Amino acid sequence: MLKKFINPLVAKPTAYLLLICLSLFSFKSGNVREVSLQAGTPIALETVQRLASDAVQAGQTVDFKVRSDIKVGDVVVIKAGSIAKGLVTRANIAKGLGKEGQIEIQIKSVSSVDGQQIPVVGNNIYRQGEDKQTLAIVLGVVLCILFLTMKGKNAEIPAGTTIDANTATNMMISIN
């Protein structure tokens, strides 16, 4: 049995295979370290585009971007410009009888430098359009019934609107 392994046709490939296996499993790749991002870390976000109650639907995902680097000590864990995701929880268009539109968005997560989605909590963004209900009723009764079809204004969140959020849980972030 020992003669099989001493045979140069078997010994060399076996030795190379063992060297490759040892090198792959015994060394860490690169200079990777982990830092802990604590729950409650503040993150300033802003809307990427204009959002309006007549242009979005409840359940739709919308993008925000991080306004400035988020650091743990001197290490950046979330880069400025990283994308955060929000969920439209309410989107009502303006209706007849002067009823205004409404939009509400809940911030859900943000991307870290290692690609993880970090859950965030914060103030929901809520906007309401202009209510013209009283005007529609008064004009409809006094002047013409057609004024009852007057719509209120849709809600709008302009691009660049800021919102503050906080990380929801402690996370370990890998830094290269």
Side-chain angles (χ1 to χ4, degrees), residues 64-103:
F64 294 82
K65 69 179 177 180
V66 177
R67 291 177 56 98
S68 59
D69 287 343
I70 307 301
K71 296 181 178 181
V72 173
D74 62 343
V75 178
V76 175
V77 292
I78 302 172
K79 289 183 181 179
S82 295
I83 298 298
K85 298 291 183 184
L87 179 69
V88 178
T89 55
R90 182 186 322 179
N92 299 324
I93 62 171
K95 297 181 180 171
L97 201 58
K99 188 74 176 150
E100 74 280 1
Q102 300 171 339
I103 186 170

Side-chain angles (χ1 to χ4, degrees), residues 18-153:
L18 285 173
L19 276 173
I20 291 171
C21 288
L22 282 174
S23 68
L24 289 176
F25 295 115
S26 64
F27 300 108
K28 280 189 172 180
S29 62
N31 187 13
V32 176
R33 69 178 191 176
E34 288 190 336
V35 295
S36 177
L37 178 63
Q38 298 298 311
T41 301
I43 303 171
L45 303 170
E46 68 181 36
T47 53
V48 175
Q49 62 190 27
R50 176 186 165 275
L51 303 168
S53 59
D54 61 343
V56 296
Q57 297 177 0
Q60 180 178 338
T61 301
V62 293
D63 290 341
F64 294 82
K65 69 179 177 180
V66 177
R67 291 177 56 98
S68 59
D69 287 343
I70 307 301
K71 296 181 178 181
V72 173
D74 62 343
V75 178
V76 175
V77 292
I78 302 172
K79 289 183 181 179
S82 295
I83 298 298
K85 298 291 183 184
L87 179 69
V88 178
T89 55
R90 182 186 322 179
N92 299 324
I93 62 171
K95 297 181 180 171
L97 201 58
K99 188 74 176 150
E100 74 280 1
Q102 300 171 339
I103 186 170
E104 184 174 17
I105 300 173
Q106 181 180 28
I107 308 301
K108 290 295 197 176
S109 65
V110 65
S111 298
S112 66
V113 293
D114 65 354
Q116 292 186 69
Q117 290 298 310
I118 301 170
V120 295
V121 293
N123 302 326
N124 288 358
I125 300 175
Y126 176 77
R127 295 288 189 279
Q128 188 171 321
E130 186 180 342
D131 181 7
K132 294 184 178 180
Q133 204 165 14
T134 305
L135 179 63
I137 292 171
V138 169
L139 291 175
V141 171
V142 174
L143 294 178
C144 177
I145 200 159
L146 291 177
F147 280 107
L148 294 176
T149 62
M150 178 188 297
K151 292 183 178 183
K153 289 202 174 185

